[in-house]
Amino acid sequence: MALLEVKDLKVSFTTNHGRLYAVDGIDVTLEAGESLAIVGESGSGKSVTSLSIMGLIENPGEVQAEHILFKGQDLASVSARKHRAILGNELSMIFQDPSSSLNPCFTIGAQIDEALKKHTDTSRKARRQRAIDLLKAVGIPDPESRLAAWPHQLSGGMNQRVMIAIAISCNPALLIADEPTTALDVTIQAQIMSLLKELGESRDMAMILITHDLGVVAETVDRVMVMYAGQVVESACKNDLLDHPQHPYTRALMESIPSGRLQGDQRLPVIPGRVPVLDMLPGGCRFHPRCKYADDKCRQQRPELVIDDNRSVRCFHPLGVIKHV
């Protein structure tokens, strides 16, 4: 039995333009200890997917799914009390911005203690020692004195490490990390990603990494799922996807990663246009207005997600067989 199994997930919002689907029929399966990256530009539906799994979509949002199974339990149908017991305990999440996730009115120690007190039956002394051990595990120096620090006294990278410490405090089976390196400099980004990978391996913890940057997943995850305009356009094992991208959008994302391959005044490739807004989705393939390989079929018909072995692609002309124009 898979640790997480999401079937036909749809997330919609009621607006003045009617009901709009931010996530439109995606499936996610994750085994214990496995790591998955969900990749795509802003507006692709990545964060909405993670929030719906956590049960954090509020009105006017509506989540529909055949099921959202976590350890065999359907999260959509369990009682509110049971759901609260699971969140932060067996299923945990790191949000994008630690400066807004940490409460500025409480010390670091108090915020770690809150999570431990909620989900464990241990003494105050034991919780304090656990908090020190957690800060040490995420690489914060002098962890005992940091318990008395306030969030504004720590750097962005240190606050993100505190968020990771809180998220792993109860040894979750699954950790969802939503853009965990947002607003951090490149060096700190690498440290945070290395830390998440190390924690996942040492604790046999499954992880879903939400990111817009394919460059950060190369050394971190087992599988990659690429989203565009609320749909999955490609999914495969990391090495297969990075070495042989089949969807034009996946290749375009990879080509836009800065590297040392550019010569002279050669410019970094960019994807023309932008992700369509939900009330103006194009007909046919949703990527066709930005795709240099699109033809009349792409403009007129919607491609289905074709699954072959451990790979899936939503494209009439996957790059393995496409005739470049």
Side-chain angles (χ1 to χ4, degrees):
M1 180 179 65
L3 175 67
L4 176 71
E5 184 178 308
V6 180
K7 183 69 174 177
D8 194 23
L9 175 66
K10 297 180 180 180
V11 185
S12 59
F13 295 87
T14 301
T15 72
N16 293 333
H17 300 280
R19 183 159 290 278
L20 305 178
Y21 285 83
V23 174
D24 190 6
I26 72 168
D27 300 338
V28 180
T29 301
L30 197 65
E31 302 293 337
E34 187 181 20
S35 54
L36 168 71
I38 303 180
V39 180
E41 296 167 276
S42 297
S44 294
K46 310 181 304 297
S47 293
V48 175
T49 297
S50 63
L51 290 172
S52 63
I53 293 172
M54 293 290 292
L56 298 178
I57 299 293
E58 299 181 346
N59 285 329
E62 180 179 329
V63 178
Q64 299 171 300
E66 185 175 319
H67 56 243
I68 303 176
L69 299 179
F70 178 70
K71 290 188 171 182
Q73 301 179 90
D74 193 342
L75 297 180
S77 61
V78 297
S79 67
R81 182 177 181 180
K82 178 64 176 178
H83 195 265
R84 287 194 299 269
I86 293 173
L87 295 189
N89 186 12
E90 298 177 274
L91 175 57
S92 194
M93 185 170 182
I94 304 169
F95 297 92
Q96 289 189 26
D97 185 3
S99 64
S100 61
S101 299
L102 291 172
N103 192 322
C105 300
F106 293 93
T107 64
I108 298 303
Q111 296 186 64
I112 299 175
D113 184 73
E114 181 183 17
L116 293 171
K117 189 174 181 179
K118 174 72 175 179
H119 296 290
T120 65
D121 185 20
T122 54
S123 67
R124 183 176 181 179
K125 181 178 180 180
R127 294 197 305 270
R128 174 181 169 81
Q129 185 57 52
R130 173 66 172 159
I132 293 172
D133 293 341
L134 286 165
L135 292 181
K136 186 181 298 183
V138 298
I140 291 183
D142 194 13
E144 188 167 0
S145 67
R146 296 293 186 181
L147 293 179
W150 303 87
H152 73 270
Q153 295 177 309
L154 302 182
S155 66
M158 285 293 184
N159 276 327
Q160 190 63 289
R161 290 173 184 268
V162 171
M163 286 299 302
I164 295 172
I166 294 173
I168 66 171
S169 60
C170 298
N171 294 317
L174 171 59
L175 174 66
I176 299 176
D178 187 0
E179 300 277 9
T181 58
T182 296
L184 301 179
D185 64 53
V186 175
T187 302
I188 302 302
Q189 285 183 20
Q191 293 175 2
I192 294 297
M193 296 311 301
S194 178
L195 172 62
L196 288 174
K197 180 182 179 182
E198 178 185 334
L199 289 171
E201 292 175 347
S202 64
R203 296 165 180 260
D204 195 29
M205 178 179 66
M207 180 172 67
I208 296 178
L209 171 65
I210 309 295
T211 181
H212 64 275
D213 186 358
L214 268 172
V216 306
V217 309
E219 303 297 330
T220 310
V221 300
D222 302 313
R223 290 192 296 119
V224 181
M225 186 171 81
V226 183
M227 290 188 67
Y228 183 80
Q231 295 182 328
V232 176
V233 296
E234 184 168 5
S235 179
C237 294
K238 175 192 66 180
N239 291 338
D240 289 342
L241 186 134
L242 295 181
D243 293 341
H244 306 288
Q246 293 296 298
H247 198 283
Y249 180 58
T250 306
R251 174 172 287 183
L253 286 176
M254 293 180 60
E255 290 176 345
S256 64
I257 299 173
S259 70
R261 68 181 183 276
L262 300 181
Q263 302 293 325
D265 60 354
Q266 188 178 4
R267 298 179 66 87
L268 187 70
V270 298
I271 308 174
R274 62 183 64 185
V275 177
V277 294
L278 297 180
D279 61 340
M280 297 182 64
L281 293 175
C285 173
R286 295 183 180 183
F287 185 61
H288 89 255
R290 308 174 70 189
C291 182
K292 61 183 177 180
Y293 307 119
D295 57 17
D296 288 341
K297 184 176 183 181
C298 303
R299 300 180 185 97
Q300 296 168 6
Q301 300 179 36
R302 289 191 180 275
E304 298 296 326
L305 191 66
V306 177
I307 302 174
D308 183 12
D309 292 330
N310 292 321
R311 189 178 202 123
S312 57
V313 182
R314 188 186 302 273
C315 185
F316 290 125
H317 310 295
L319 293 175
V321 296
I322 199 167
K323 294 182 180 179
H324 291 240
V325 295

